[in-house]
Amino acid sequence: MKMEKIMRSKVKDLLNAAPGRDVLAKGWVRTKRGNKQIKFIALNDGSTIHNIQVVADMEKFDEDLIRRITTGASLCVKGKLVESVGSGQAVEISAEEIEVYGDCDPVRFPLQKKDTSLEYLRTVAHMRPRTNTFGAILRIRHAMAFAIHKFFNDKGFVYLNTPIITQSDAEGAGDMFLVTTLDLAEVPFKENGKVDFSRDFFGKKTCLTVSGQLEGELGATGVGEIYTFGPTFRAENSNTPRHLAEFWMIEPEMAFYDIDDNMDLAEEFVKYLVQYALDHCMDDLRFLNDKYDEGLVDRLHSVLGISFQRLTYTEGIEILEKAIAEGHQFEFPVHWGTDLQSEHERYLVERHFGKPVILTDFPKEIKAFYMKQNEDGKTVRGMDVLFPKIGEIIGGSEREASLEKLEQRIEELKMDRKNLEWYIDTRRYGTVPHSGFGLGFERLLLFVTGMANIRDVIPFPRTPKNAEF
Ligand code: ATP
Ligand code: MN
């Protein structure tokens, strides 16, 4: 069969093309229906949520070939793009030649209509990207990644790659995964009974990174504004719909930004991404809206036209305590000094203000050592951006720029500064006010796609007791 000559077109482009020309399409069969004279094949190649209809006149094709065209089979179709007579599509392909690349046994095919629950799909790695749902999510995920790079590139930020393997005792953002080549059956011990990591690959204890921030600050205090966008690992045993053991994080870090500049950037950033999704992913968003979350598109619009509510942690606590006094019940206790739980965050966002909230000035005890200390001696200049349905989507702060105060905090917390000197040096040699934040990529995607479980917005989720594929 000779199919050269014509260039292959993506289904997305064919659906927008004018009828009349010869075309070549490749993809997987979604459905086949029809009668003895004519077959209608819905073909999808992943370029769009929509299928192109292939019309096969049985007079032109061999029975055996048509029998092989089952749901899931892969095809190459040559034909003419014609105006569609049926409703539902403007154009269709009137097939002249069809080649089956790969058959798909209709009996053993794992994507039967009756079982396409999201939980089930997580167990069939090869089928997941073929579904409408995951196709939409993967395309949106890609568009958001692209928009993130575009946003920062347009602002002159430098994309900085921070290490994935790091020294273990750097931050304390979460429990870390150990990286070692030591033989677990013959672990070398020191005299004090501790593992002798000097015999390990790197000659010291190393882990997978929980954040690129500290290295990011080194970049920012040289080239001004940087962002990282890479995988992040946390061995926290939290089996929630908002936590992964491996997730992606975007961490901008900016010299000469104070906390207000930081909040302005964070707000502009997420609004830009939501706008980008609305401008470029509407077909996929509509599909997800109609299938899973009727409020999705409205919710995306709702964060755009307004200013996020900015308030201090202390003010937030007052609102929550008042809610409790008025009879509202929370599962977890809340008073000044506690870390807010997702239910508290969502109360502020969804019930009290009805819009995204940026909380600032947290008790220093619940935040990391590097946050800028306020005059009151009790709070630090952190900021959390809280979103409807999700809670915390961004965590950030103005960083402590004073060498003295930073050292004093490290001491207070009894941190081992041996492996931190490289970081402390930024405050020794030309320190500057600076700020930054971390946006969890999958948390953003939860918001943008309306999915309820973070496992469904990443291609291969890693969670406690699960590292399949
Ligand atoms: P949370 O309280 O929700 O666990 P956190 O305070 O540990 O978040 P940070 O250390 O500030 O979060 O990390 C920055 C951002 O990274 C968070 O705002 C969130 O968007 C994302 N994030 C943190 N932990 C996870 C996780 N386990 N899985 C997915 N995203 C995460
Ligand atoms: Mn956490």
Side-chain angles (χ1 to χ4, degrees):
M1 197 178 308
K2 284 181 257 92
M3 288 215 186
E4 299 85 44
K5 292 275 177 296
I6 314 171
M7 278 245 295
R8 175 206 165 195
S9 301
K10 297 272 189 94
V11 168
K12 182 181 183 189
D13 299 325
L14 289 176
L15 291 172
N16 291 315
R21 63 190 176 92
D22 289 332
V23 295
L24 184 66
K26 301 181 179 190
W28 294 270
V29 176
R30 282 295 166 83
T31 56
K32 181 182 74 175
R33 57 188 179 83
N35 51 42
K36 285 212 163 60
Q37 289 81 45
I38 197 159
K39 299 286 183 206
F40 301 97
I41 303 155
L43 197 70
N44 188 282
D45 65 1
S47 59
T48 159
I49 191 99
H50 303 297
N51 307 321
I52 187 133
Q53 175 157 284
V54 175
V55 184
D57 185 338
M58 290 303 285
E59 277 181 9
K60 291 188 202 157
F61 296 96
D62 191 65
E63 282 273 350
D64 284 341
L65 178 86
I66 295 298
R67 205 171 301 121
R68 289 172 62 201
I69 299 175
T70 57
T71 297
S74 48
L75 307 183
C76 176
V77 177
K78 191 180 152 189
K80 200 168 223 71
L81 194 69
V82 295
E83 222 168 290
S84 179
V85 279
S87 61
Q89 64 272 319
V91 290
E92 62 192 21
I93 300 174
S94 170
E96 275 144 29
E97 291 170 41
I98 298 178
E99 181 186 342
V100 177
Y101 284 132
D103 298 273
C104 184
D105 182 341
V107 179
R108 295 174 57 203
F109 186 55
L111 253 199
Q112 302 301 335
K113 279 213 170 73
K114 54 184 172 348
D115 194 0
T116 52
S117 71
L118 294 166
E119 290 78 10
Y120 171 71
L121 283 179
R122 285 179 217 141
T123 68
V124 269
H126 69 105
M127 290 319 307
R128 211 172 173 224
R130 290 248 199 114
T131 60
N132 281 331
T133 296
F134 225 70
I137 288 165
L138 289 181
R139 284 185 295 270
I140 293 171
R141 190 177 163 107
H142 163 76
M144 291 293 90
F146 178 79
I148 285 162
H149 285 297
K150 180 164 166 50
F151 176 83
F152 287 121
N153 182 65
D154 290 353
K155 285 189 176 294
F157 281 54
V158 170
Y159 177 37
L160 183 77
N161 298 118
T162 49
I164 289 170
I165 300 174
T166 60
Q167 304 172 133
S168 64
D169 34 11
E171 209 208 340
D175 296 317
M176 303 180 92
F177 290 101
L178 186 65
V179 175
T180 182
T181 55
L182 291 176
D183 181 352
L184 292 186
E186 264 176 89
V187 176
F189 289 102
K190 296 190 290 195
E191 273 172 17
N192 63 6
K194 296 208 165 139
V195 176
D196 183 4
F197 284 106
S198 71
R199 311 255 303 270
D200 204 350
F201 186 91
F202 294 105
K204 58 169 69 163
K205 188 178 175 191
T206 51
C207 291
L208 293 178
T209 184
V210 292
S211 161
Q213 180 202 318
L214 301 191
E215 291 90 350
E217 287 186 47
L218 270 66
T221 51
V223 292
E225 292 157 325
I226 65 94
Y227 69 105
T228 73
F229 187 176
T232 309
F233 308 86
R234 296 195 183 175
E236 48 196 356
N237 215 340
S238 38
N239 243 318
T240 79
R242 292 180 322 280
H243 288 89
L244 291 162
E246 177 180 292
F247 64 101
W248 288 65
M249 186 142 67
I250 301 100
E251 295 182 275
E253 195 68 40
M254 300 75 63
F256 315 116
Y257 274 51
D258 66 14
I259 186 80
D260 293 315
D261 302 326
N262 204 22
M263 286 192 278
D264 290 345
L265 183 76
E267 183 165 341
E268 184 190 345
F269 180 44
V270 280
K271 284 178 173 169
Y272 177 90
L273 297 177
V274 169
Q275 184 69 60
Y276 193 93
L278 288 167
D279 290 345
H280 295 87
C281 309
M282 208 31 149
D283 283 0
D284 290 324
L285 291 174
R286 281 234 178 283
F287 170 81
L288 295 172
N289 185 96
D290 296 349
K291 179 151 185 187
Y292 297 101
D293 179 359
E294 278 190 325
L296 175 62
V297 172
D298 285 346
R299 202 176 323 111
L300 293 178
H301 281 291
S302 79
V303 302
L304 291 178
I306 42 102
S307 292
F308 296 0
Q309 183 68 44
R310 300 181 184 189
L311 75 158
T312 65
Y313 167 89
T314 304
E315 291 166 330
I317 292 290
E318 281 163 11
I319 292 169
L320 293 167
E321 284 180 331
K322 190 150 171 272
I324 294 169
E326 285 165 2
H328 191 86
Q329 305 228 332
F330 291 111
E331 188 184 337
F332 294 95
V334 59
H335 53 82
W336 203 93
T338 52
D339 209 353
L340 296 188
Q341 300 291 325
S342 165
E343 57 171 344
H344 307 130
E345 297 172 340
R346 292 185 59 179
Y347 180 89
L348 292 173
V349 172
E350 291 164 29
R351 301 276 301 264
H352 192 82
F353 291 109
K355 56 177 164 172
V357 167
I358 310 184
L359 271 189
T360 58
D361 302 288
F362 297 85
K364 63 180 178 187
E365 286 75 21
I366 61 170
K367 290 294 182 187
F369 74 98
Y370 50 70
M371 292 193 184
K372 184 176 171 67
Q373 297 164 42
N374 284 322
E375 308 283 278
D376 63 11
K378 292 192 300 190
T379 58
V380 289
R381 222 163 279 181
M383 63 164 213
D384 282 1
V385 180
L386 314 178
F387 255 52
K389 283 196 77 178
I390 291 155
E392 181 186 332
I393 189 166
I394 285 178
S397 70
E398 182 171 341
R399 317 306 189 192
E400 182 54 76
S402 146
L403 173 64
E404 206 189 331
K405 288 191 177 160
L406 186 71
E407 287 184 315
Q408 161 231 319
R409 193 71 189 127
I410 290 172
E411 198 139 301
E412 267 173 31
L413 292 168
K414 299 196 173 53
M415 294 171 66
D416 178 7
R417 59 182 282 171
K418 185 171 88 260
N419 288 327
L420 270 181
E421 292 302 332
W422 58 272
Y423 174 75
I424 300 170
D425 277 346
T426 54
R427 275 64 166 178
R428 265 188 204 114
Y429 305 104
T431 188
V432 289
H434 65 288
S435 299
F437 60 82
L439 167 70
F441 189 41
E442 287 77 18
R443 296 263 176 103
L444 169 82
L445 289 170
L446 279 179
F447 183 72
V448 172
T449 63
M451 288 287 110
N453 194 316
I454 199 163
R455 293 165 181 80
D456 295 321
V457 294
I458 188 164
F460 303 100
R462 268 85 185 90
T463 48
K465 297 280 176 287
N466 169 50
E468 284 301 300
F469 323 123

